[in-house]
Every structure is written in structure tokens, then in C-alpha cells.
Amino acid sequence: MLNQWRTREEKPFRKFLLLNRGFMAKLKITQTKSIIDRPEKQKKIIEALGLGRPNWERIHNDTPQIRGMINKVTHLVKVEEVKE
């Protein structure tokens, strides 16, 4: 009964996280363009990613949430996978 609220999409990723603890890939996100004259939604996504100016970089875990944010601002950022 407790698991009924979860959607089917969450379960495989949760299983992946449980099986691969500590081995999650990392993404290095670099802002390449300014957010001047961009829609407010894109500005907030850049801020949520921890960026703010061109050439700023942040390293995040490779999660569906981060991938979704990157997909919304692909024209403003460059993404690389980081090996630990």
C-alpha cells in the first residue's frame, strides 16, 4: 500500500541508485553564453544550476532532474562527463 503513490518511472531509477551507490556519474556544466535578454524561466534554471556568468562551471550528479534542466538551456551551456 505504501508504494502505490510512486510512479512506474521512479522505480527503475531508484533501483539503479540503490545498486550503484557511490558510482553515480558526474557532469561538468559550463555556461557559455550570457542570460541577458533570455526568458525568466531560463534565467531561473541557470541560477538553479549554480551558474550565473559565462565561463562559470559547476559539477553535478547525473540525475534526471539535472538532465531536464540542461535540456531547457542547451543553447547556453556546455556539458561534459567527469571521470572521478
Side-chain angles (χ1 to χ4, degrees), residues 15-59:
K15 188 175 183 181
F16 171 78
L17 288 178
L18 292 175
L19 293 175
N20 298 316
R21 283 190 186 152
F23 299 107
M24 182 168 281
K26 300 274 187 176
L27 296 175
K28 178 177 158 185
I29 306 166
T30 307
Q31 184 177 344
T32 57
K33 294 185 179 180
S34 173
I35 57 174
I36 295 174
D37 291 336
R38 300 289 176 186
E40 190 65 30
K41 191 170 185 177
Q42 291 177 5
K43 290 179 182 182
K44 288 183 179 183
I45 291 171
I46 290 292
E47 183 182 343
L49 288 171
L51 304 171
R53 294 183 181 180
N55 298 321
W56 279 16
E57 300 175 345
R58 286 291 306 251
I59 296 177

Side-chain angles (χ1 to χ4, degrees), residues 50-84:
L51 304 171
R53 294 183 181 180
N55 298 321
W56 279 16
E57 300 175 345
R58 286 291 306 251
I59 296 177
H60 289 282
N61 289 330
D62 188 6
T63 63
Q65 294 84 4
I66 297 295
R67 287 282 181 171
M69 288 192 279
I70 291 170
N71 285 337
K72 295 290 186 179
V73 292
T74 53
H75 55 288
L76 300 175
V77 298
K78 179 177 73 171
V79 181
E80 303 169 18
E81 191 168 333
V82 176
K83 302 287 183 186
E84 286 191 47

